[in-house]
Amino acid sequence: MVVERVCKRVRDADGELTILDDVGFVLLPKQTVAIVGASGSGKSTLLTILAGLDTPSSGRVLFEGQSLFDLDEDQRADVRARRMGFVFQSFQLLGHLSALENVMLPLELMGHPKPRVQALEMLDRVGLSSRVGHYPKVLSGGEQQRVALARAFVVRPALLLADEPTGSLDHATGERIMELIFRMNRDEGTTLVMVTHDPAIAARCDRRLVIDAGRLTEKT
């Protein structure tokens, strides 16, 4: 992925607000990258632009050689469905679907011929083979995040985007989830981009991008 001079500006009652200002970097395949910075610095906005969920005011994002914002919304949605995975702090599971059904869903939307087989295999890999029929409301926070991980990885994404994936978990559970994320990411050969406030998590990544008031101030 190549990010070139991305800016994001919005207007409010006080005038124009710059959220991202001339941000640029290159992500290499299979890299693990932490995006860090204070609250309100623009980290999550950058992540949504990398996913093609939000559009920059200027600049461009190249993903697998294609400029994301030369595509229309439906085309970007197709890229996300087939080539990207997402893990959020709040899990984002569908409450009326079981763990198995949540993991099967992206495969079904892609028209995969054997969604149940693939989903069962992925749930087994995250240690939830005994919980496949359970609904989110009866799963612990750690279990829900493991279902979310299985859902993210089941499409074999080239890019995994994670926004504070342990933010709503206790420390011990968060540690186990991070071990699982890094292990699965390594096994699948995925590029990982993760927003985090935790310096210990950032230190485990290959690179660290520091955002300060919308500007990229450090690349390590």
Side-chain angles (χ1 to χ4, degrees), residues 1 27-33 157-160 182 185-193 205-207:
M1 175 172 276
L27 301 177
L28 299 178
K30 303 182 183 181
Q31 271 192 329
T32 56
V33 181
L159 175 66
L160 178 68
F182 281 115
N185 194 74
R186 185 171 57 250
D187 291 348
E188 295 293 326
T190 305
T191 301
L192 170 65
V193 181
C205 293
D206 300 327
R207 296 180 64 194

mmCIF file with all atom_site columns, all heavy atoms in Angstrom, residues 1 27-33 157-160 182 185-193 205-207:
data_model
loop_
_atom_site.group_PDB
_atom_site.id
_atom_site.type_symbol
_atom_site.label_atom_id
_atom_site.label_alt_id
_atom_site.label_comp_id
_atom_site.label_asym_id
_atom_site.label_entity_id
_atom_site.label_seq_id
_atom_site.pdbx_PDB_ins_code
_atom_site.Cartn_x
_atom_site.Cartn_y
_atom_site.Cartn_z
_atom_site.occupancy
_atom_site.B_iso_or_equiv
_atom_site.pdbx_formal_charge
_atom_site.auth_seq_id
_atom_site.auth_comp_id
_atom_site.auth_asym_id
_atom_site.auth_atom_id
_atom_site.pdbx_PDB_model_num
ATOM 1   N N   . MET A 1 1   ? 0.849  -1.197  0.000  1.00 0.00 ? 1   MET A N   1
ATOM 2   C CA  . MET A 1 1   ? 0.000  0.000   0.000  1.00 0.00 ? 1   MET A CA  1
ATOM 3   C C   . MET A 1 1   ? 0.877  1.236   0.000  1.00 0.00 ? 1   MET A C   1
ATOM 4   O O   . MET A 1 1   ? 1.875  1.308   0.733  1.00 0.00 ? 1   MET A O   1
ATOM 5   C CB  . MET A 1 1   ? -0.931 -0.007  1.216  1.00 0.00 ? 1   MET A CB  1
ATOM 6   C CG  . MET A 1 1   ? -1.771 1.255   1.357  1.00 0.00 ? 1   MET A CG  1
ATOM 7   S SD  . MET A 1 1   ? -3.014 1.139   2.653  1.00 0.00 ? 1   MET A SD  1
ATOM 8   C CE  . MET A 1 1   ? -4.343 0.322   1.761  1.00 0.00 ? 1   MET A CE  1
ATOM 9   N N   . LEU A 1 27  ? 3.632  0.926   2.843  1.00 0.00 ? 27  LEU A N   1
ATOM 10  C CA  . LEU A 1 27  ? 3.542  -0.309  3.620  1.00 0.00 ? 27  LEU A CA  1
ATOM 11  C C   . LEU A 1 27  ? 4.014  -1.462  2.754  1.00 0.00 ? 27  LEU A C   1
ATOM 12  O O   . LEU A 1 27  ? 3.557  -1.626  1.629  1.00 0.00 ? 27  LEU A O   1
ATOM 13  C CB  . LEU A 1 27  ? 2.100  -0.576  4.058  1.00 0.00 ? 27  LEU A CB  1
ATOM 14  C CG  . LEU A 1 27  ? 1.428  0.494   4.918  1.00 0.00 ? 27  LEU A CG  1
ATOM 15  C CD1 . LEU A 1 27  ? -0.013 0.085   5.202  1.00 0.00 ? 27  LEU A CD1 1
ATOM 16  C CD2 . LEU A 1 27  ? 2.189  0.701   6.214  1.00 0.00 ? 27  LEU A CD2 1
ATOM 17  N N   . LEU A 1 28  ? 4.914  -2.256  3.283  1.00 0.00 ? 28  LEU A N   1
ATOM 18  C CA  . LEU A 1 28  ? 5.412  -3.416  2.558  1.00 0.00 ? 28  LEU A CA  1
ATOM 19  C C   . LEU A 1 28  ? 4.580  -4.648  2.892  1.00 0.00 ? 28  LEU A C   1
ATOM 20  O O   . LEU A 1 28  ? 4.003  -4.740  3.980  1.00 0.00 ? 28  LEU A O   1
ATOM 21  C CB  . LEU A 1 28  ? 6.882  -3.672  2.919  1.00 0.00 ? 28  LEU A CB  1
ATOM 22  C CG  . LEU A 1 28  ? 7.851  -2.538  2.580  1.00 0.00 ? 28  LEU A CG  1
ATOM 23  C CD1 . LEU A 1 28  ? 9.261  -2.898  3.029  1.00 0.00 ? 28  LEU A CD1 1
ATOM 24  C CD2 . LEU A 1 28  ? 7.821  -2.204  1.100  1.00 0.00 ? 28  LEU A CD2 1
ATOM 25  N N   . PRO A 1 29  ? 4.490  -5.599  1.979  1.00 0.00 ? 29  PRO A N   1
ATOM 26  C CA  . PRO A 1 29  ? 3.747  -6.825  2.263  1.00 0.00 ? 29  PRO A CA  1
ATOM 27  C C   . PRO A 1 29  ? 4.262  -7.512  3.526  1.00 0.00 ? 29  PRO A C   1
ATOM 28  O O   . PRO A 1 29  ? 5.465  -7.559  3.783  1.00 0.00 ? 29  PRO A O   1
ATOM 29  C CB  . PRO A 1 29  ? 4.005  -7.688  1.018  1.00 0.00 ? 29  PRO A CB  1
ATOM 30  C CG  . PRO A 1 29  ? 4.302  -6.709  -0.062 1.00 0.00 ? 29  PRO A CG  1
ATOM 31  C CD  . PRO A 1 29  ? 5.034  -5.583  0.610  1.00 0.00 ? 29  PRO A CD  1
ATOM 32  N N   . LYS A 1 30  ? 3.320  -7.994  4.340  1.00 0.00 ? 30  LYS A N   1
ATOM 33  C CA  . LYS A 1 30  ? 3.577  -8.762  5.554  1.00 0.00 ? 30  LYS A CA  1
ATOM 34  C C   . LYS A 1 30  ? 4.114  -7.918  6.713  1.00 0.00 ? 30  LYS A C   1
ATOM 35  O O   . LYS A 1 30  ? 4.404  -8.461  7.777  1.00 0.00 ? 30  LYS A O   1
ATOM 36  C CB  . LYS A 1 30  ? 4.526  -9.938  5.290  1.00 0.00 ? 30  LYS A CB  1
ATOM 37  C CG  . LYS A 1 30  ? 4.035  -10.898 4.218  1.00 0.00 ? 30  LYS A CG  1
ATOM 38  C CD  . LYS A 1 30  ? 4.990  -12.058 4.034  1.00 0.00 ? 30  LYS A CD  1
ATOM 39  C CE  . LYS A 1 30  ? 4.526  -12.983 2.915  1.00 0.00 ? 30  LYS A CE  1
ATOM 40  N NZ  . LYS A 1 30  ? 5.432  -14.140 2.740  1.00 0.00 ? 30  LYS A NZ  1
ATOM 41  N N   . GLN A 1 31  ? 4.224  -6.604  6.538  1.00 0.00 ? 31  GLN A N   1
ATOM 42  C CA  . GLN A 1 31  ? 4.662  -5.757  7.641  1.00 0.00 ? 31  GLN A CA  1
ATOM 43  C C   . GLN A 1 31  ? 3.593  -5.657  8.723  1.00 0.00 ? 31  GLN A C   1
ATOM 44  O O   . GLN A 1 31  ? 2.403  -5.762  8.444  1.00 0.00 ? 31  GLN A O   1
ATOM 45  C CB  . GLN A 1 31  ? 4.966  -4.339  7.158  1.00 0.00 ? 31  GLN A CB  1
ATOM 46  C CG  . GLN A 1 31  ? 6.386  -4.119  6.698  1.00 0.00 ? 31  GLN A CG  1
ATOM 47  C CD  . GLN A 1 31  ? 6.690  -2.650  6.508  1.00 0.00 ? 31  GLN A CD  1
ATOM 48  O OE1 . GLN A 1 31  ? 5.826  -1.852  6.156  1.00 0.00 ? 31  GLN A OE1 1
ATOM 49  N NE2 . GLN A 1 31  ? 7.937  -2.275  6.740  1.00 0.00 ? 31  GLN A NE2 1
ATOM 50  N N   . THR A 1 32  ? 4.042  -5.436  9.954  1.00 0.00 ? 32  THR A N   1
ATOM 51  C CA  . THR A 1 32  ? 3.137  -5.074  11.046 1.00 0.00 ? 32  THR A CA  1
ATOM 52  C C   . THR A 1 32  ? 3.456  -3.628  11.421 1.00 0.00 ? 32  THR A C   1
ATOM 53  O O   . THR A 1 32  ? 4.606  -3.287  11.691 1.00 0.00 ? 32  THR A O   1
ATOM 54  C CB  . THR A 1 32  ? 3.303  -5.998  12.255 1.00 0.00 ? 32  THR A CB  1
ATOM 55  O OG1 . THR A 1 32  ? 4.675  -5.989  12.699 1.00 0.00 ? 32  THR A OG1 1
ATOM 56  C CG2 . THR A 1 32  ? 2.910  -7.425  11.903 1.00 0.00 ? 32  THR A CG2 1
ATOM 57  N N   . VAL A 1 33  ? 2.434  -2.796  11.431 1.00 0.00 ? 33  VAL A N   1
ATOM 58  C CA  . VAL A 1 33  ? 2.622  -1.357  11.598 1.00 0.00 ? 33  VAL A CA  1
ATOM 59  C C   . VAL A 1 33  ? 1.672  -0.841  12.668 1.00 0.00 ? 33  VAL A C   1
ATOM 60  O O   . VAL A 1 33  ? 0.465  -1.111  12.616 1.00 0.00 ? 33  VAL A O   1
ATOM 61  C CB  . VAL A 1 33  ? 2.373  -0.611  10.273 1.00 0.00 ? 33  VAL A CB  1
ATOM 62  C CG1 . VAL A 1 33  ? 2.587  0.890   10.452 1.00 0.00 ? 33  VAL A CG1 1
ATOM 63  C CG2 . VAL A 1 33  ? 3.274  -1.153  9.174  1.00 0.00 ? 33  VAL A CG2 1
ATOM 64  N N   . PRO A 1 157 ? -7.299 -12.154 4.035  1.00 0.00 ? 157 PRO A N   1
ATOM 65  C CA  . PRO A 1 157 ? -7.070 -10.797 3.531  1.00 0.00 ? 157 PRO A CA  1
ATOM 66  C C   . PRO A 1 157 ? -5.590 -10.506 3.292  1.00 0.00 ? 157 PRO A C   1
ATOM 67  O O   . PRO A 1 157 ? -4.714 -11.053 3.982  1.00 0.00 ? 157 PRO A O   1
ATOM 68  C CB  . PRO A 1 157 ? -7.614 -9.914  4.659  1.00 0.00 ? 157 PRO A CB  1
ATOM 69  C CG  . PRO A 1 157 ? -7.407 -10.736 5.902  1.00 0.00 ? 157 PRO A CG  1
ATOM 70  C CD  . PRO A 1 157 ? -7.670 -12.145 5.470  1.00 0.00 ? 157 PRO A CD  1
ATOM 71  N N   . ALA A 1 158 ? -5.327 -9.626  2.350  1.00 0.00 ? 158 ALA A N   1
ATOM 72  C CA  . ALA A 1 158 ? -3.964 -9.127  2.150  1.00 0.00 ? 158 ALA A CA  1
ATOM 73  C C   . ALA A 1 158 ? -3.618 -8.086  3.204  1.00 0.00 ? 158 ALA A C   1
ATOM 74  O O   . ALA A 1 158 ? -2.456 -7.921  3.570  1.00 0.00 ? 158 ALA A O   1
ATOM 75  C CB  . ALA A 1 158 ? -3.839 -8.519  0.758  1.00 0.00 ? 158 ALA A CB  1
ATOM 76  N N   . LEU A 1 159 ? -4.639 -7.376  3.709  1.00 0.00 ? 159 LEU A N   1
ATOM 77  C CA  . LEU A 1 159 ? -4.444 -6.290  4.664  1.00 0.00 ? 159 LEU A CA  1
ATOM 78  C C   . LEU A 1 159 ? -5.435 -6.434  5.803  1.00 0.00 ? 159 LEU A C   1
ATOM 79  O O   . LEU A 1 159 ? -6.641 -6.582  5.576  1.00 0.00 ? 159 LEU A O   1
ATOM 80  C CB  . LEU A 1 159 ? -4.663 -4.938  3.958  1.00 0.00 ? 159 LEU A CB  1
ATOM 81  C CG  . LEU A 1 159 ? -4.615 -3.676  4.825  1.00 0.00 ? 159 LEU A CG  1
ATOM 82  C CD1 . LEU A 1 159 ? -3.211 -3.463  5.383  1.00 0.00 ? 159 LEU A CD1 1
ATOM 83  C CD2 . LEU A 1 159 ? -5.049 -2.455  4.006  1.00 0.00 ? 159 LEU A CD2 1
ATOM 84  N N   . LEU A 1 160 ? -4.935 -6.393  7.033  1.00 0.00 ? 160 LEU A N   1
ATOM 85  C CA  . LEU A 1 160 ? -5.783 -6.400  8.223  1.00 0.00 ? 160 LEU A CA  1
ATOM 86  C C   . LEU A 1 160 ? -5.665 -5.045  8.901  1.00 0.00 ? 160 LEU A C   1
ATOM 87  O O   . LEU A 1 160 ? -4.561 -4.601  9.228  1.00 0.00 ? 160 LEU A O   1
ATOM 88  C CB  . LEU A 1 160 ? -5.362 -7.503  9.188  1.00 0.00 ? 160 LEU A CB  1
ATOM 89  C CG  . LEU A 1 160 ? -6.160 -7.570  10.499 1.00 0.00 ? 160 LEU A CG  1
ATOM 90  C CD1 . LEU A 1 160 ? -7.592 -7.999  10.232 1.00 0.00 ? 160 LEU A CD1 1
ATOM 91  C CD2 . LEU A 1 160 ? -5.504 -8.516  11.500 1.00 0.00 ? 160 LEU A CD2 1
ATOM 92  N N   . PHE A 1 182 ? -1.043 -11.504 16.325 1.00 0.00 ? 182 PHE A N   1
ATOM 93  C CA  . PHE A 1 182 ? 0.291  -11.562 15.734 1.00 0.00 ? 182 PHE A CA  1
ATOM 94  C C   . PHE A 1 182 ? 0.582  -12.947 15.163 1.00 0.00 ? 182 PHE A C   1
ATOM 95  O O   . PHE A 1 182 ? 1.196  -13.065 14.090 1.00 0.00 ? 182 PHE A O   1
ATOM 96  C CB  . PHE A 1 182 ? 1.350  -11.171 16.759 1.00 0.00 ? 182 PHE A CB  1
ATOM 97  C CG  . PHE A 1 182 ? 1.478  -9.683  16.974 1.00 0.00 ? 182 PHE A CG  1
ATOM 98  C CD1 . PHE A 1 182 ? 1.158  -9.109  18.193 1.00 0.00 ? 182 PHE A CD1 1
ATOM 99  C CD2 . PHE A 1 182 ? 1.919  -8.852  15.953 1.00 0.00 ? 182 PHE A CD2 1
ATOM 100 C CE1 . PHE A 1 182 ? 1.276  -7.743  18.394 1.00 0.00 ? 182 PHE A CE1 1
ATOM 101 C CE2 . PHE A 1 182 ? 2.039  -7.485  16.141 1.00 0.00 ? 182 PHE A CE2 1
ATOM 102 C CZ  . PHE A 1 182 ? 1.720  -6.927  17.360 1.00 0.00 ? 182 PHE A CZ  1
ATOM 103 N N   . ASN A 1 185 ? -1.569 -13.389 12.003 1.00 0.00 ? 185 ASN A N   1
ATOM 104 C CA  . ASN A 1 185 ? -1.067 -12.496 10.968 1.00 0.00 ? 185 ASN A CA  1
ATOM 105 C C   . ASN A 1 185 ? 0.205  -13.065 10.338 1.00 0.00 ? 185 ASN A C   1
ATOM 106 O O   . ASN A 1 185 ? 0.378  -13.052 9.118  1.00 0.00 ? 185 ASN A O   1
ATOM 107 C CB  . ASN A 1 185 ? -0.780 -11.116 11.575 1.00 0.00 ? 185 ASN A CB  1
ATOM 108 C CG  . ASN A 1 185 ? -0.581 -10.059 10.530 1.00 0.00 ? 185 ASN A CG  1
ATOM 109 O OD1 . ASN A 1 185 ? -1.531 -9.622  9.911  1.00 0.00 ? 185 ASN A OD1 1
ATOM 110 N ND2 . ASN A 1 185 ? 0.656  -9.664  10.305 1.00 0.00 ? 185 ASN A ND2 1
ATOM 111 N N   . ARG A 1 186 ? 1.079  -13.609 11.186 1.00 0.00 ? 186 ARG A N   1
ATOM 112 C CA  . ARG A 1 186 ? 2.319  -14.223 10.698 1.00 0.00 ? 186 ARG A CA  1
ATOM 113 C C   . ARG A 1 186 ? 2.009  -15.465 9.861  1.00 0.00 ? 186 ARG A C   1
ATOM 114 O O   . ARG A 1 186 ? 2.573  -15.653 8.780  1.00 0.00 ? 186 ARG A O   1
ATOM 115 C CB  . ARG A 1 186 ? 3.208  -14.579 11.887 1.00 0.00 ? 186 ARG A CB  1
ATOM 116 C CG  . ARG A 1 186 ? 4.575  -15.126 11.533 1.00 0.00 ? 186 ARG A CG  1
ATOM 117 C CD  . ARG A 1 186 ? 5.438  -15.244 12.772 1.00 0.00 ? 186 ARG A CD  1
ATOM 118 N NE  . ARG A 1 186 ? 4.827  -16.085 13.802 1.00 0.00 ? 186 ARG A NE  1
ATOM 119 C CZ  . ARG A 1 186 ? 4.350  -15.634 14.950 1.00 0.00 ? 186 ARG A CZ  1
ATOM 120 N NH1 . ARG A 1 186 ? 4.357  -14.344 15.233 1.00 0.00 ? 186 ARG A NH1 1
ATOM 121 N NH2 . ARG A 1 186 ? 3.824  -16.471 15.835 1.00 0.00 ? 186 ARG A NH2 1
ATOM 122 N N   . ASP A 1 187 ? 1.096  -16.296 10.345 1.00 0.00 ? 187 ASP A N   1
ATOM 123 C CA  . ASP A 1 187 ? 0.760  -17.534 9.628  1.00 0.00 ? 187 ASP A CA  1
ATOM 124 C C   . ASP A 1 187 ? 0.143  -17.242 8.263  1.00 0.00 ? 187 ASP A C   1
ATOM 125 O O   . ASP A 1 187 ? 0.380  -17.973 7.297  1.00 0.00 ? 187 ASP A O   1
ATOM 126 C CB  . ASP A 1 187 ? -0.212 -18.384 10.458 1.00 0.00 ? 187 ASP A CB  1
ATOM 127 C CG  . ASP A 1 187 ? 0.436  -18.972 11.703 1.00 0.00 ? 187 ASP A CG  1
ATOM 128 O OD1 . ASP A 1 187 ? 1.680  -18.929 11.816 1.00 0.00 ? 187 ASP A OD1 1
ATOM 129 O OD2 . ASP A 1 187 ? -0.307 -19.457 12.573 1.00 0.00 ? 187 ASP A OD2 1
ATOM 130 N N   . GLU A 1 188 ? -0.672 -16.189 8.187  1.00 0.00 ? 188 GLU A N   1
ATOM 131 C CA  . GLU A 1 188 ? -1.389 -15.876 6.953  1.00 0.00 ? 188 GLU A CA  1
ATOM 132 C C   . GLU A 1 188 ? -0.593 -14.968 6.019  1.00 0.00 ? 188 GLU A C   1
ATOM 133 O O   . GLU A 1 188 ? -0.977 -14.774 4.870  1.00 0.00 ? 188 GLU A O   1
ATOM 134 C CB  . GLU A 1 188 ? -2.738 -15.217 7.269  1.00 0.00 ? 188 GLU A CB  1
ATOM 135 C CG  . GLU A 1 188 ? -3.723 -16.122 7.990  1.00 0.00 ? 188 GLU A CG  1
ATOM 136 C CD  . GLU A 1 188 ? -4.184 -17.278 7.124  1.00 0.00 ? 188 GLU A CD  1
ATOM 137 O OE1 . GLU A 1 188 ? -4.308 -17.103 5.891  1.00 0.00 ? 188 GLU A OE1 1
ATOM 138 O OE2 . GLU A 1 188 ? -4.408 -18.376 7.670  1.00 0.00 ? 188 GLU A OE2 1
ATOM 139 N N   . GLY A 1 189 ? 0.513  -14.393 6.514  1.00 0.00 ? 189 GLY A N   1
ATOM 140 C CA  . GLY A 1 189 ? 1.300  -13.491 5.682  1.00 0.00 ? 189 GLY A CA  1
ATOM 141 C C   . GLY A 1 189 ? 0.585  -12.200 5.345  1.00 0.00 ? 189 GLY A C   1
ATOM 142 O O   . GLY A 1 189 ? 0.742  -11.634 4.255  1.00 0.00 ? 189 GLY A O   1
ATOM 143 N N   . THR A 1 190 ? -0.203 -11.710 6.291  1.00 0.00 ? 190 THR A N   1
ATOM 144 C CA  . THR A 1 190 ? -1.019 -10.510 6.088  1.00 0.00 ? 190 THR A CA  1
ATOM 145 C C   . THR A 1 190 ? -0.239 -9.261  6.493  1.00 0.00 ? 190 THR A C   1
ATOM 146 O O   . THR A 1 190 ? 0.594  -9.307  7.403  1.00 0.00 ? 190 THR A O   1
ATOM 147 C CB  . THR A 1 190 ? -2.295 -10.616 6.944  1.00 0.00 ? 190 THR A CB  1
ATOM 148 O OG1 . THR A 1 190 ? -2.966 -11.823 6.633  1.00 0.00 ? 190 THR A OG1 1
ATOM 149 C CG2 . THR A 1 190 ? -3.235 -9.446  6.699  1.00 0.00 ? 190 THR A CG2 1
ATOM 150 N N   . THR A 1 191 ? -0.512 -8.156  5.834  1.00 0.00 ? 191 THR A N   1
ATOM 151 C CA  . THR A 1 191 ? -0.017 -6.860  6.293  1.00 0.00 ? 191 THR A CA  1
ATOM 152 C C   . THR A 1 191 ? -0.971 -6.354  7.373  1.00 0.00 ? 191 THR A C   1
ATOM 153 O O   . THR A 1 191 ? -2.179 -6.321  7.163  1.00 0.00 ? 191 THR A O   1
ATOM 154 C CB  . THR A 1 191 ? 0.044  -5.850  5.139  1.00 0.00 ? 191 THR A CB  1
ATOM 155 O OG1 . THR A 1 191 ? 0.901  -6.367  4.113  1.00 0.00 ? 191 THR A OG1 1
ATOM 156 C CG2 . THR A 1 191 ? 0.592  -4.512  5.602  1.00 0.00 ? 191 THR A CG2 1
ATOM 157 N N   . LEU A 1 192 ? -0.425 -5.977  8.517  1.00 0.00 ? 192 LEU A N   1
ATOM 158 C CA  . LEU A 1 192 ? -1.237 -5.537  9.656  1.00 0.00 ? 192 LEU A CA  1
ATOM 159 C C   . LEU A 1 192 ? -0.986 -4.060  9.933  1.00 0.00 ? 192 LEU A C   1
ATOM 160 O O   . LEU A 1 192 ? 0.159  -3.637  10.095 1.00 0.00 ? 192 LEU A O   1
ATOM 161 C CB  . LEU A 1 192 ? -0.890 -6.358  10.903 1.00 0.00 ? 192 LEU A CB  1
ATOM 162 C CG  . LEU A 1 192 ? -1.462 -5.881  12.247 1.00 0.00 ? 192 LEU A CG  1
ATOM 163 C CD1 . LEU A 1 192 ? -2.976 -5.976  12.255 1.00 0.00 ? 192 LEU A CD1 1
ATOM 164 C CD2 . LEU A 1 192 ? -0.857 -6.686  13.398 1.00 0.00 ? 192 LEU A CD2 1
ATOM 165 N N   . VAL A 1 193 ? -2.065 -3.279  9.983  1.00 0.00 ? 193 VAL A N   1
ATOM 166 C CA  . VAL A 1 193 ? -1.995 -1.874  10.391 1.00 0.00 ? 193 VAL A CA  1
ATOM 167 C C   . VAL A 1 193 ? -2.933 -1.707  11.572 1.00 0.00 ? 193 VAL A C   1
ATOM 168 O O   . VAL A 1 193 ? -4.130 -1.987  11.469 1.00 0.00 ? 193 VAL A O   1
ATOM 169 C CB  . VAL A 1 193 ? -2.404 -0.923  9.249  1.00 0.00 ? 193 VAL A CB  1
ATOM 170 C CG1 . VAL A 1 193 ? -2.296 0.528   9.716  1.00 0.00 ? 193 VAL A CG1 1
ATOM 171 C CG2 . VAL A 1 193 ? -1.538 -1.150  8.025  1.00 0.00 ? 193 VAL A CG2 1
ATOM 172 N N   . CYS A 1 205 ? 5.506  -4.283  16.848 1.00 0.00 ? 205 CYS A N   1
ATOM 173 C CA  . CYS A 1 205 ? 5.316  -4.148  15.409 1.00 0.00 ? 205 CYS A CA  1
ATOM 174 C C   . CYS A 1 205 ? 6.641  -3.839  14.712 1.00 0.00 ? 205 CYS A C   1
ATOM 175 O O   . CYS A 1 205 ? 7.580  -3.318  15.323 1.00 0.00 ? 205 CYS A O   1
ATOM 176 C CB  . CYS A 1 205 ? 4.303  -3.041  15.115 1.00 0.00 ? 205 CYS A CB  1
ATOM 177 S SG  . CYS A 1 205 ? 2.624  -3.430  15.677 1.00 0.00 ? 205 CYS A SG  1
ATOM 178 N N   . ASP A 1 206 ? 6.693  -4.138  13.428 1.00 0.00 ? 206 ASP A N   1
ATOM 179 C CA  . ASP A 1 206 ? 7.894  -3.853  12.646 1.00 0.00 ? 206 ASP A CA  1
ATOM 180 C C   . ASP A 1 206 ? 8.150  -2.356  12.533 1.00 0.00 ? 206 ASP A C   1
ATOM 181 O O   . ASP A 1 206 ? 9.306  -1.913  12.488 1.00 0.00 ? 206 ASP A O   1
ATOM 182 C CB  . ASP A 1 206 ? 7.755  -4.423  11.223 1.00 0.00 ? 206 ASP A CB  1
ATOM 183 C CG  . ASP A 1 206 ? 7.565  -5.927  11.204 1.00 0.00 ? 206 ASP A CG  1
ATOM 184 O OD1 . ASP A 1 206 ? 8.127  -6.612  12.078 1.00 0.00 ? 206 ASP A OD1 1
ATOM 185 O OD2 . ASP A 1 206 ? 6.843  -6.414  10.301 1.00 0.00 ? 206 ASP A OD2 1
ATOM 186 N N   . ARG A 1 207 ? 7.062  -1.580  12.441 1.00 0.00 ? 207 ARG A N   1
ATOM 187 C CA  . ARG A 1 207 ? 7.178  -0.137  12.260 1.00 0.00 ? 207 ARG A CA  1
ATOM 188 C C   . ARG A 1 207 ? 6.199  0.583   13.162 1.00 0.00 ? 207 ARG A C   1
ATOM 189 O O   . ARG A 1 207 ? 5.176  0.024   13.563 1.00 0.00 ? 207 ARG A O   1
ATOM 190 C CB  . ARG A 1 207 ? 6.878  0.263   10.810 1.00 0.00 ? 207 ARG A CB  1
ATOM 191 C CG  . ARG A 1 207 ? 7.819  -0.260  9.784  1.00 0.00 ? 207 ARG A CG  1
ATOM 192 C CD  . ARG A 1 207 ? 7.415  0.208   8.399  1.00 0.00 ? 207 ARG A CD  1
ATOM 193 N NE  . ARG A 1 207 ? 7.505  1.659   8.268  1.00 0.00 ? 207 ARG A NE  1
ATOM 194 C CZ  . ARG A 1 207 ? 6.952  2.352   7.260  1.00 0.00 ? 207 ARG A CZ  1
ATOM 195 N NH1 . ARG A 1 207 ? 6.253  1.723   6.337  1.00 0.00 ? 207 ARG A NH1 1
ATOM 196 N NH2 . ARG A 1 207 ? 7.087  3.660   7.191  1.00 0.00 ? 207 ARG A NH2 1
#
